[in-house]
Amino acid sequence: MSIPSAPAKGRHDHSGLAYNLAGIAVLVGLLSVGAAYLVDELGQATKLPQPALTDGEPVAQTISGRELHIPTRWFRYGEQIRDGFTNQIDLKVVLTADDGVTPLPVDVTLLPRSRASTSASLLDRVYLHQFGDDTLSGVSGLVGKPMQQSEGYSGESIWYDAISPNPFVAKCMDAVEPEQARQCVRTVYLPSGIAAVYAFDATVLQSWRQFDIQMERWLRPIGAW
């Protein structure tokens, strides 16, 4: 009686192992390719064209009884891109720094006047009573005052034009992440009667004298000014 030799089974096991390793290699390769495509897609997403004054494809929206015609690329949120009535419109625009080159992104939220108080009115009614003793520097033409470290104003400051009867006023606060720029908010009433809330990096304050002029260039063509 002959006994089957073991080497054949060993060869079969080695063959199966080789197939398994080959399958794993193919799977890893596919995952690598998929990851490369994902990274590429994410990279493309971060390079989306910025909104421009020449953008088209407008959407008609009515807010506070006023019909606006807004290019689709200006919307911050895709679900808002639809015709009809609304009580809030979230946009993004890009101003230009005083050097005429550096882009200054600004988020714009349009609201009915009843839902917002202007920063200028809050300066007299609220902010002045919460100022700390120090005076900040760093923005030519604006007075910077830190808020008292209480009453919920910790880490905040107010920057305002002390000369104008209708002053430029912005409240700035520390960013969530230390490496990010301070964030500022300014609320105004537009001539149309709509309220506009502007949110931007503190670096935009350096161009505050041109801020409203440039905002008019964006908001007048769509009917919001």
Side-chain angles (χ1 to χ4, degrees):
M1 179 183 293
S2 62
I3 300 175
S5 59
K9 182 176 184 298
R11 286 195 300 271
H12 180 75
D13 290 344
H14 286 305
S15 177
L17 178 61
Y19 278 116
N20 288 338
L21 291 176
I24 292 173
V26 171
L27 178 61
V28 170
L30 291 174
L31 290 175
S32 299
V33 172
Y37 276 113
L38 178 60
V39 170
D40 182 66
E41 289 296 326
L42 291 175
Q44 293 296 326
T46 61
K47 298 176 183 178
L48 291 175
Q50 293 182 329
L53 290 168
T54 55
D55 287 338
E57 300 181 6
V59 171
Q61 294 193 348
T62 300
I63 183 170
S64 294
R66 192 174 183 94
E67 186 175 89
L68 312 184
H69 297 270
I70 309 166
T72 56
R73 190 182 290 178
W74 294 17
F75 285 89
R76 293 210 307 273
Y77 308 116
E79 60 268 23
Q80 290 188 344
I81 304 177
R82 53 180 174 76
D83 295 331
F85 292 85
T86 184
N87 60 4
Q88 180 170 323
I89 302 174
D90 298 296
L91 309 176
K92 55 185 177 182
V93 303
V94 181
L95 309 187
T96 305
D98 289 343
D99 61 12
V101 177
T102 305
L104 303 175
V106 177
D107 288 343
V108 183
T109 299
L110 302 178
L111 302 164
R113 287 180 56 153
S114 59
R115 293 180 55 193
S117 296
T118 68
S119 298
S121 67
L122 291 174
L123 177 65
D124 294 328
R125 294 191 291 108
V126 179
Y127 299 151
L128 284 174
H129 306 290
Q130 302 295 334
F131 282 168
D133 296 329
D134 297 334
T135 297
L136 306 175
S137 60
V139 182
S140 178
L142 292 182
V143 176
K145 297 292 292 185
M147 305 293 280
Q148 296 178 8
Q149 301 302 301
S150 61
E151 304 295 334
Y153 293 110
S154 178
E156 299 185 356
S157 59
I158 304 298
W159 294 86
Y160 65 98
D161 174 14
I163 299 176
S164 173
N166 184 27
F168 177 100
V169 181
K171 181 174 74 170
C172 301
M173 59 216 76
D174 293 336
V176 177
E177 299 295 335
E179 66 274 9
Q180 294 179 346
R182 287 171 60 81
Q183 300 297 304
C184 302
V185 176
R186 179 170 179 249
T187 303
V188 301
Y189 290 157
L190 302 175
S192 64
I194 300 172
V197 181
Y198 306 130
F200 47 87
D201 287 353
T203 53
V204 176
L205 291 176
Q206 300 295 338
S207 302
W208 69 272
R209 289 185 175 88
Q210 297 298 314
F211 189 94
D212 287 333
I213 296 173
Q214 292 201 50
M215 286 308 311
E216 181 178 0
R217 292 181 60 210
W218 285 85
L219 299 180
R220 183 179 290 280
I222 67 173
W225 193 267

